[in-house]
Amino acid sequence: MAFDWFKRKAKNITTSTEDKKDVPKGLWHQTPSGKIVEHEELKRNNYVSPEDGFHVRIGSNEFFDMLFDNQKFTELDAGVESVDMLDFKDTKSYTDRLKEVKAKTKLTDSIRNATGKVNGTEMVISCMDFSFIGGSLGSVMGEKIRRAVDYCMKHKLPYMIICQSGGARMQEATYSLMQLAKVQSKLAQLSEAGLPYIAYLCDPTFGGITASFAMTADIIMAEPGALIGFAGPRVIRETIGRDLPEGFQTSEFIQNKGFVDFIVKRTEIKETVSKTVNLLYGT
């Protein structure tokens, strides 16, 4: 049975997040403020513009290289892949969408698990990839986080999730929403085992991710200027019929309201994470 719930009649409208290019491919990159930065200089600075501090969106490859000592790590559960359980169709079939995004990104899903040492401290890091269907939460993300937590408990290791997601994956319907409870139950076990959990919120972090495990870590960090929330600002503005406060849903705004512990620049994240883990875990 197919679910042809979403059929867009208007032409020349593109909604697929995997068509967006997250990492600059040329020699130069222009930030939203108009600053021009050479790509190699940007890479050396952890993809943070030295001109204005803008954090360019990056994926798990860049984060793992940035965080793990000597860029050495072991990927866990790499063979776990999404499948079309519901024979779902929106503007195209979910099966075709998965084939296309897997071929384009060389990823199997929207999150990767890896273990290695961060400034000498061994830990497990799960990192979302926004380039894979907007970093959306599906059954595979929930399962891979579960496996990462089990690995942490087996080997007595700290855990970190790098969040960048538009929310739940509609093509998996209730299977996607079930992951919120599944992940939270595993994180509760991690806490009972006395192992620390750190969340690092990047731009954007929305929907079911924010409504669950992104906001239940022992320590919640966020990149400067990251958009963090449940519904997007446009939806909220149209719903309540009024203008939103300046800087609404930025990491700085969220920190001021008590939902984020630290704003951490990407250039400082490795040192901050290692110090935090050592303080929490006493290593």
Side-chain angles (χ1 to χ4, degrees):
M1 179 175 63
F3 292 80
D4 292 311
W5 295 342
F6 303 96
K7 290 187 176 180
R8 187 182 294 277
K9 296 181 180 179
K11 297 181 179 180
N12 300 322
I13 298 177
T14 302
T15 58
S16 58
T17 53
E18 62 267 32
D19 290 337
K20 299 178 182 177
K21 299 196 180 297
D22 297 333
V23 179
K25 303 299 183 184
L27 296 175
W28 303 90
H29 178 81
Q30 184 174 13
T31 70
S33 65
K35 302 295 184 181
I36 305 295
V37 186
E38 186 181 16
H39 178 65
E40 286 304 314
E41 182 182 6
L42 195 66
K43 183 177 179 180
R44 287 193 297 269
N45 204 43
N46 289 352
Y47 295 94
V48 177
S49 169
E51 298 289 333
D52 55 12
F54 176 73
H55 285 52
V56 174
R57 187 179 296 156
I58 58 175
S60 56
N61 282 329
E62 293 80 10
F63 269 115
F64 288 160
D65 286 347
M66 182 189 311
L67 287 165
F68 289 118
D69 296 347
N70 302 315
Q71 301 181 350
K72 293 182 178 179
F73 59 88
T74 301
E75 183 168 358
L76 307 172
D77 313 305
V80 183
E81 300 189 29
S82 291
V83 295
D84 186 357
M85 299 169 287
L86 301 175
D87 191 22
F88 191 98
K89 292 184 179 180
D90 47 271
T91 55
K92 66 178 71 172
S93 74
Y94 185 34
T95 297
D96 290 342
R97 194 179 293 279
L98 286 172
K99 288 180 180 177
E100 291 176 9
V101 73
K102 286 176 182 179
K104 186 172 184 178
T105 64
K106 309 303 179 186
L107 299 167
T108 57
D109 204 79
S110 54
I111 197 168
R112 292 171 68 205
N113 297 338
T115 182
K117 292 185 177 181
V118 179
N119 281 343
T121 300
E122 189 173 357
M123 61 185 297
V124 175
I125 300 176
S126 296
C127 182
M128 299 177 193
D129 279 281
F130 194 80
S131 60
F132 196 101
I133 314 182
S136 49
L137 168 64
S139 56
V140 167
M141 182 183 286
E143 175 62 15
K144 291 184 82 167
I145 293 176
R146 180 196 72 78
R147 295 188 185 196
V149 171
D150 282 343
Y151 187 94
C152 287
M153 291 191 292
K154 180 179 179 180
H155 298 278
K156 305 298 182 184
L157 298 176
Y159 186 45
M160 176 181 182
I161 300 181
I162 300 171
C163 302
Q164 43 186 348
S165 172
R169 190 175 301 175
M170 69 173 186
Q171 292 91 347
E172 295 189 17
T174 305
Y175 286 100
S176 172
L177 297 179
M178 289 167 60
Q179 306 311 309
L180 279 67
K182 177 178 179 177
V183 170
Q184 282 303 131
S185 65
K186 294 305 299 184
L187 291 173
Q189 293 177 16
L190 187 74
S191 178
E192 290 171 0
L195 298 170
Y197 161 45
I198 297 171
Y200 187 46
L201 314 186
C202 303
D203 182 63
T205 299
F206 274 98
I209 304 293
T210 309
S212 57
F213 54 86
M215 290 297 187
T216 60
D218 297 304
I219 296 293
I220 302 173
M221 305 178 187
E223 287 185 340
L227 283 177
I228 303 166
F230 183 69
R234 179 182 58 81
V235 173
I236 296 175
R237 186 184 298 108
E238 292 177 353
T239 301
I240 66 176
R242 65 172 66 179
D243 291 333
L244 301 174
E246 185 177 353
F248 181 68
Q249 291 187 322
T250 61
S251 51
E252 292 79 7
F253 183 92
I254 299 297
Q255 183 190 39
N256 188 50
K257 300 299 180 181
F259 290 98
V260 167
D261 296 305
F262 307 115
I263 305 294
V264 184
K265 297 177 182 178
R266 198 183 291 158
T267 50
E268 302 170 357
I269 186 61
K270 181 174 181 176
E271 196 68 29
T272 304
V273 167
S274 64
K275 285 181 179 180
T276 301
V277 166
N278 290 336
L279 284 170
L280 291 175
Y281 198 38
T283 57

